[in-house]
């Protein structure tokens, strides 16, 4: 799915459900590995009046999921945007946000399981294995069981299981 297609679906959803124009960019990020999508809100230079907003979707997520799942996550992010524009509570933990999702039939956060590339790591000391969505984990972290260093074993599909 392309950025133009995402923008089209988001525009149709926002006009149909909230009567709001989509006035922010939708970007596909190859660097986003821990989230499926995000409504990014950033206040410019500490000024609480000017806001920079965008919806970001994970490239890895889009490449490995069905159109239905992708649109569900996109619509979730659109609800964040619409409620923010209307001045209503828009965060995942807000009851009004959850109620709006339920009313529209849109999934809540952490409903969809990650599908795509995963990276397998192993502790050099105790041989504990695990997988992560991100590469480079071995450079920053140590094993919580034995404080040993990790080795990168390789890439695996999310449907594979390890030893």
């Amino acid at each position: 799915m392309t950025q133009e297609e995402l923008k089209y679906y988001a525009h149709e959803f926002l006009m149909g459900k909230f009567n709001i124009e989509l006035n922010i960019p939708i970007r596909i990020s190859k660097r986003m590995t821990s989230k499926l999508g995000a409504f990014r809100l950033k206040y410019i230079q500490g000024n609480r009046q000017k806001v920079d907003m965008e919806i970001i979707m994970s490239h890895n997520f889009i490449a490995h999921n069905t159109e239905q799942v992708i649109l569900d996550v996109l619509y979730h992010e659109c609800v964040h945007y619409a409620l923010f524009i209307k001045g209503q509570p828009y965060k995942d933990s807000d009851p009004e946000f959850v109620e709006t999702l339920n009313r529209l039939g849109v999934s809540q956060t952490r409903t969809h399981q990650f599908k795509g590339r995963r990276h397998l790591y192993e502790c050099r000391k105790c041989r504990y294995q695990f997988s992560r969505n991100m590469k480079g984990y071995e450079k920053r972290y140590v094993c919580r069981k034995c404080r040993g260093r990790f080795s990168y074993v390789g890439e695996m599909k999310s449907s594979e299981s390890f030893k």
Side-chain angles (χ1 to χ4, degrees):
M1 190 171 282
T2 66
Q3 278 183 219
E4 291 77 27
E5 290 173 314
L6 291 173
K7 195 157 185 128
Y8 170 79
Y9 285 116
H11 175 76
E12 292 295 314
F13 177 79
L14 289 168
M15 286 302 291
K17 304 296 184 186
F18 296 97
N19 199 26
I20 293 176
E21 290 277 335
L22 178 67
N23 294 322
I24 62 172
I26 295 181
R27 181 169 59 92
I28 297 174
S29 172
K30 289 187 176 184
R31 296 185 67 184
M32 182 181 275
T33 58
S34 62
K35 296 180 182 179
L36 308 179
F39 168 62
R40 190 180 71 83
L41 179 66
K42 182 178 172 187
Y43 291 97
I44 300 172
Q45 297 175 0
N47 184 353
R48 302 287 297 174
Q49 302 304 318
K50 292 187 176 183
V51 177
D52 183 25
M53 296 179 280
E54 68 180 337
I55 292 175
I56 309 167
M57 298 291 288
S58 166
H59 176 269
N60 197 19
F61 167 70
I62 290 172
H64 295 93
N65 282 278
T66 65
E67 184 175 301
Q68 180 184 359
V69 173
I70 295 166
L71 291 178
D72 190 44
V73 172
L74 175 65
Y75 294 159
H76 176 99
E77 302 310 330
C78 287
V79 172
H80 281 295
Y81 169 69
L83 293 180
F84 176 79
I85 293 299
K86 289 184 163 216
Q88 297 176 357
Y90 63 93
K91 295 182 180 172
D92 284 321
S93 59
D94 294 328
E96 294 87 348
F97 177 76
V98 174
E99 184 181 301
T100 304
L101 290 178
N102 291 337
R103 183 172 46 82
L104 297 173
V106 177
S107 297
Q108 294 184 24
T109 302
R110 294 180 192 84
T111 300
H112 301 290
Q113 234 181 0
F114 178 83
K115 289 182 185 172
R117 289 187 304 183
R118 296 189 58 89
H119 302 282
L120 183 62
Y121 297 94
E122 182 177 71
C123 176
R124 293 178 190 161
K125 241 181 183 177
C126 69
R127 299 293 180 214
Y128 169 69
Q129 285 190 338
F130 64 96
S131 66
R132 289 284 183 269
N133 300 349
M134 64 186 240
K135 195 171 180 182
Y137 193 88
E138 77 280 7
K139 297 173 186 169
R140 289 178 250 170
Y141 301 100
V142 294
C143 181
R144 64 179 159 195
K145 293 180 177 181
C146 69
R147 310 295 295 164
R149 304 288 296 168
F150 293 118
S151 294
Y152 179 69
V153 177
E155 190 175 305
M156 60 187 272
K157 292 181 182 169
S158 62
S159 58
E160 291 180 45
S161 59
F162 46 88
K163 299 175 193 174

